[in-house]
């Protein structure tokens, strides 16, 4: 079965840029979806790499992919960006989520 | 606006059953696949199942195959998850979501399910 890996946690200073990596076999060939989940809330889709979806919060967010790596970058990080971030792809009839990355802004 | 509201969660004993419902509004329900996803306490997201627009395309995660059944009623704008033979490890927040390009583009707020004796 297809597997995705992400770093467990990252920290970033306010105003700086943080990049979250999601790794999977040939992930650049897939549509990678990124979700933000703030504490106590449902996940929100913030970006899809190969579609036009981007949420209203996405102007500081950007994505890229190459080979086995997809990334979500958050520029000018704000305290309000503190959340868990999950990548997700569709593979062989299933939705596959990465383990999530906790981003702390401090 | 798109709205998804789950119901039917609660406390159930191991081996018991529960039926979750998700009522949709704000979009043409029959135009979209729907999916269920769960999150155990302090853990990540786990996809469980999806169902096609007319109910003819269904898939399950191995962890719930044979125990959970997804269904939908387009006339009622609802998707369901019948859960049986519940285990302690099924304890989680359960979310329904609309499927768009194989992502969950809109999610409900979730409903907690606790399996405990």
């Amino acid at each position: 079965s297809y597997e995705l890996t992400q770093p467990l946690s990252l920290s970033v200073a306010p105003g700086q840029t943080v990049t979250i990596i999601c790794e999977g076999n040939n992930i650049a060939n897939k549509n990678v979806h990124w979700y933000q989940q703030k504490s106590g809330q449902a996940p929100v889709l913030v970006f899809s790499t190969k579609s036009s979806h981007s949420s209203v919060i996405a102007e500081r967010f950007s994505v890229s992919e190459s080979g086995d790596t997809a990334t979500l970058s958050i520029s000018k990080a704000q305290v309000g960006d503190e959340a868990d971030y999950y990548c997700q792809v569709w593979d062989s009839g299933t939705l596959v989520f990465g383990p999530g990355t906790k981003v702390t802004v401090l | 606006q798109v709205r998804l509201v789950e119901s039917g969660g609660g406390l159930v004993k191991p081996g018991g059953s529960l039926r979750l419902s998700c009522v949709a509004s704000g979009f043409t329900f029959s135009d979209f696949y729907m999916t269920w996803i769960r999150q155990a306490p302090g853990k990540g997201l786990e996809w469980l199942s999806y169902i096609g627009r007319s109910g003819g395309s269904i898939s399950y995660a191995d962890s719930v195959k044979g125990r959970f059944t997804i269904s939908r009623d387009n006339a009622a704008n609802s998707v369901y998850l019948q859960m049986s033979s519940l285990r302690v490890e099924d304890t989680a927040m359960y979310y329904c979501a609309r499927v768009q390009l194989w992502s969950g583009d809109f999610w409900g707020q979730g409903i907690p399910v606790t399996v405990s004796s």
Side-chain angles (χ1 to χ4, degrees), chain B residues 2 4 19 31 35-37 39 42 45-46 51 54 65 68 77-78 82 85 87 90 96 100 104 108-109 112-114:
Chain B
V2 174
L4 300 168
R19 188 195 195 210
D31 283 349
T35 189
W36 287 95
I37 294 151
Q39 186 171 36
L45 302 172
E46 179 188 14
I51 186 167
S54 59
K65 199 174 294 182
F68 289 11
N77 287 346
S78 295
Q82 177 68 47
S85 302
R87 306 166 180 166
D90 293 319
C96 72
Q100 177 78 282
Q109 283 305 299
V113 171
T114 302

Side-chain angles (χ1 to χ4, degrees), chain B residues 63-85:
Chain B
S63 60
V64 302
K65 199 174 294 182
R67 300 190 300 125
F68 289 11
T69 302
I70 193 171
S71 61
R72 67 188 293 161
D73 180 347
N74 287 343
N77 287 346
S78 295
V79 60
Y80 308 100
L81 189 67
Q82 177 68 47
M83 306 186 294
S84 60
S85 302

